[in-house]
Amino acid sequence: MLAEWVTPDRILFGPGAARQVPEIVVGLASRVMVVCGSNPQRHEWLLTALAARGIATMVYSVVGEPSVAVAEEALQRAREYVATAVIGIGGGSALDVAKAVAGLLVNDGELVDYLEVVGKGRPLAKRAAPMIAIPTTAGTGSEATRNAVLEVPEKGVKVSMRSPLLVPTWAVVDPELTLDLPPGPTATSGFDALAQLLESFVSVKANAFTDALCREALPRVGRSLRTACLSGRDLSARSDMALGALFSGMALANAGLGAVHGLAGPLGGMLHAPHGALCAALLAPVVEVNVRALRSRAPDSPALARYEEAARLVTGKPQATVADLLAWIQTLAAEVGIPRLSQLGLRKSHYDQAVERSQAASSMKGNPIVLLDEEIVEILDLAG
């Protein structure tokens, strides 16, 4: 086995972990950009604590899905402020913008130079500026990944700035920060984490390191996703989901993903729909079509046994099958109100473009079998 391991320099996990951030920053920088979501007031505690320690801060708020234009504006402000470190606190949108800013603070050129698909795909020459990632959702795992995903609305695509030098310096994961997350975002972000774990587990690039993470995290998400959605103040369930999301980011950073994300990326750019909701709608259809394709064209693939194992890990039932896993996903998705793709704006007229773009997506490289165009159409039909 040949496997590369990429992970944050330091990980701090547990209830109350975020309260340690001000002391961490003291050892990193004296001028910091704080990238957050749409409500900066939620993080006044952090800004006050940083100021008390003599740390100068400026705040940049990301509203909605992160775009290249938003990241470019944040980068310009950080450069003008002469920030030497970045804190990202919020959901995946805030963390992805923060990572892009940290990467470009110490590397020459503009953001577009480093973007895949729409840019030059130039590799980073230097390690990103010190960056602390503090997720307030349990889903994307962006606190542990090597890429920043940004939307290009004028081209209808989402693209990545990707490098092992982009992984955050610190991942500070505090389940207490997710206690007030509403049921809707809890569900969609949680399904994103579940999809990432499942896809990493059956990926053609899975390895012993990522297997260990997935085998630990899948049962946690399986037992706690429903509770986190319906009883949001349950700290035990929130802790399971926070750890599951962190492990999903670490797993995908080292094993890659599959058709769920191969489709969710292009659809997000086309429909301007939330990434987690797309992943949630696609998850069961992708599992169903993947398993059928494997049984038909690659019956000796180890991914089939892995899907069966994942069914046992997620449901907690020793005799569970893929059919049980599909039923579990579909039942929970209906119970917590996951929208179908048609509700997110998908129309038949989108299919050709979705198929073409998904087949070219980097995430597809990890899928356990190369899907035919007609199989991707079937996934869209099932998820619609």
Side-chain angles (χ1 to χ4, degrees), residues 125-321:
K126 300 177 183 178
R127 173 71 188 269
M131 189 257 174
I132 302 172
I134 314 169
T136 60
T137 65
T140 68
S142 184
E143 65 272 16
T145 64
R146 64 174 81 193
N147 63 316
V149 182
L150 303 170
E151 187 175 8
V152 190
E154 62 273 18
K155 294 185 180 293
V157 297
K158 286 187 174 181
V159 299
S160 282
M161 175 183 177
R162 191 186 311 271
S163 171
L165 301 178
L166 204 62
V167 179
T169 315
W170 278 82
V172 179
V173 183
D174 187 340
E176 290 182 352
L177 298 183
T178 68
L179 289 174
D180 294 322
L181 191 67
T186 296
T188 55
S189 60
F191 265 95
D192 188 14
L194 175 60
Q196 289 170 176
L197 290 165
L198 282 172
E199 294 205 292
S200 296
F201 194 52
V202 301
S203 169
V204 296
K205 296 182 283 186
N207 58 67
F209 304 129
T210 59
D211 287 350
L213 292 171
C214 294
R215 287 185 173 116
E216 175 67 26
L218 282 168
R220 291 176 180 271
V221 174
R223 74 191 182 210
S224 293
L225 177 50
R226 180 182 183 276
T227 302
C229 293
L230 303 180
S231 304
R233 300 294 297 180
D234 187 313
L235 184 59
S236 177
R238 292 294 196 180
S239 295
D240 271 349
M241 292 306 302
L243 192 64
L246 171 64
F247 281 10
S248 80
M250 296 169 70
L252 78 87
N254 293 281
L257 293 166
V260 171
H261 285 79
L263 272 162
L267 289 175
M270 293 164 59
L271 306 178
H272 309 294
H275 175 75
L278 292 167
C279 290
L282 288 162
L283 182 54
V286 166
V287 171
E288 180 178 344
V289 172
N290 266 350
V291 169
R292 189 186 312 133
L294 286 163
R295 287 171 176 168
S296 173
R297 301 199 299 279
D300 295 328
S301 170
L304 285 170
R306 284 173 173 268
Y307 272 121
E308 297 287 349
E309 182 180 355
R312 299 189 292 271
L313 291 169
V314 171
T315 65
K317 298 178 180 178
Q319 306 303 318
T321 65

